Amino acid sequence: MRDNVKVIIAKYTENIDWVDELGYDYVVYDKSQNPLPNSRHLENIGREAHTYIKHIISEYDRLADMNIFLQGDPFDHIDDRGRATVKTLRKQLADIVDKAVPFKGLAWFKLKCDRLGQPHDLRKPENEGRWSGWGRDIPVGEVFERLFFETMPKQIIARAPTGNFCVTGRRIRTRPKAFYEHCLRLIECDPNDEKNTGHAIERLWQHIFNGNTAWNRDSYE
């Protein structure tokens, strides 16, 4: 699997010079006003969830065996002491790739949350203005049920709460392409994330990629 790995970077204005040091093939989706040469430019909507789902849809039939989805600056989320480096990340990824782990969140922590995304920090005064959806709950339950047409459990464990994770192409394709197109429509209905749809999907990556084909539908119209 080491020879068929793709790193997918969701970039805005971050410095991503570090990505070459990972040693894997990569693609950069740039949502800034001055996109990097050779990057794929996207409209700045929907947080990294929009970027990742766009990649999955466009590459669905030719996804890498292992897909590493990363934000433009993932390092604060990898180590609880704030000391993560490219070397730290490279070592973590090498282990996941060697073991062909179907899905793995890269954050140092996991979150247990309810259908309103609680606990969350979207009402903290110090975060006011940081996100369009500040002051609102995260509609985890609503988005879960619109994605899977199943009732969300009372609580779930978010295993990739920072939007940095690895997932195999095989696990991605346990859901049809139409599912991801459905997911993209949900995101595009909340382009500025004022309702926190993107935040909700960030709590649901492990369910999107859990391989439960019983949740798939014949149609997502």
Side-chain angles (χ1 to χ4, degrees), residues 163-174:
N164 299 286
F165 56 87
C166 301
V167 60
T168 62
R170 182 176 181 180
R171 182 59 68 86
I172 292 173
R173 283 191 291 263
T174 58

Side-chain angles (χ1 to χ4, degrees), residues 175-193:
R175 301 206 187 283
K177 186 176 181 179
F179 167 83
Y180 297 105
E181 293 169 339
H182 170 62
C183 185
L184 183 63
R185 288 192 291 270
L186 295 184
I187 295 169
E188 290 178 337
C189 284
D190 186 18
N192 297 318
D193 208 37

Side-chain angles (χ1 to χ4, degrees), residues 8-12 29-32 40-59 69-71 163 165 180-193 196-202 205 208-209:
I8 299 96
I9 306 291
K11 176 190 175 296
Y12 183 48
Y29 289 89
D30 196 328
K31 291 186 173 180
S32 71
R40 300 182 186 181
H41 189 220
L42 292 177
E43 184 180 3
N44 186 24
I45 64 172
R47 298 174 58 81
E48 75 276 352
H50 171 262
T51 302
Y52 297 167
I53 297 297
K54 288 281 283 188
H55 176 80
I56 288 171
I57 292 170
S58 66
E59 303 292 322
F69 292 90
L70 297 173
Q71 295 179 340
F165 56 87
Y180 297 105
E181 293 169 339
H182 170 62
C183 185
L184 183 63
R185 288 192 291 270
L186 295 184
I187 295 169
E188 290 178 337
C189 284
D190 186 18
N192 297 318
D193 208 37
N196 290 320
T197 304
H199 273 92
I201 290 175
E202 194 172 76
W205 289 121
I208 289 171
F209 301 123

Side-chain angles (χ1 to χ4, degrees), residues 9-18 28-32 34 36 48 70-75:
I9 306 291
K11 176 190 175 296
Y12 183 48
T13 59
E14 305 90 346
N15 183 332
I16 60 165
D17 289 347
W18 53 269
V28 177
Y29 289 89
D30 196 328
K31 291 186 173 180
S32 71
N34 298 293
L36 294 174
E48 75 276 352
L70 297 173
Q71 295 179 340
D73 182 6
F75 299 103

Side-chain angles (χ1 to χ4, degrees), residues 109-189:
F109 63 95
K110 301 177 181 65
L111 289 176
K112 180 184 289 186
C113 67
D114 62 15
R115 63 181 293 110
L116 295 178
Q118 297 176 352
H120 60 70
D121 57 3
L122 290 175
R123 288 198 179 92
K124 289 184 177 180
E126 60 267 32
N127 287 331
E128 185 173 3
R130 186 177 176 186
W131 302 291
S132 296
W134 182 88
R136 305 181 65 141
D137 284 318
I138 302 174
V140 176
E142 177 186 345
V143 173
F144 181 101
E145 290 160 9
R146 293 181 71 183
L147 285 176
F148 305 118
F149 304 92
E150 295 284 342
T151 301
M152 181 184 136
K154 185 176 181 180
Q155 287 188 319
I156 63 170
I157 303 295
R159 302 187 183 278
T162 66
N164 299 286
F165 56 87
C166 301
V167 60
T168 62
R170 182 176 181 180
R171 182 59 68 86
I172 292 173
R173 283 191 291 263
T174 58
R175 301 206 187 283
K177 186 176 181 179
F179 167 83
Y180 297 105
E181 293 169 339
H182 170 62
C183 185
L184 183 63
R185 288 192 291 270
L186 295 184
I187 295 169
E188 290 178 337
C189 284

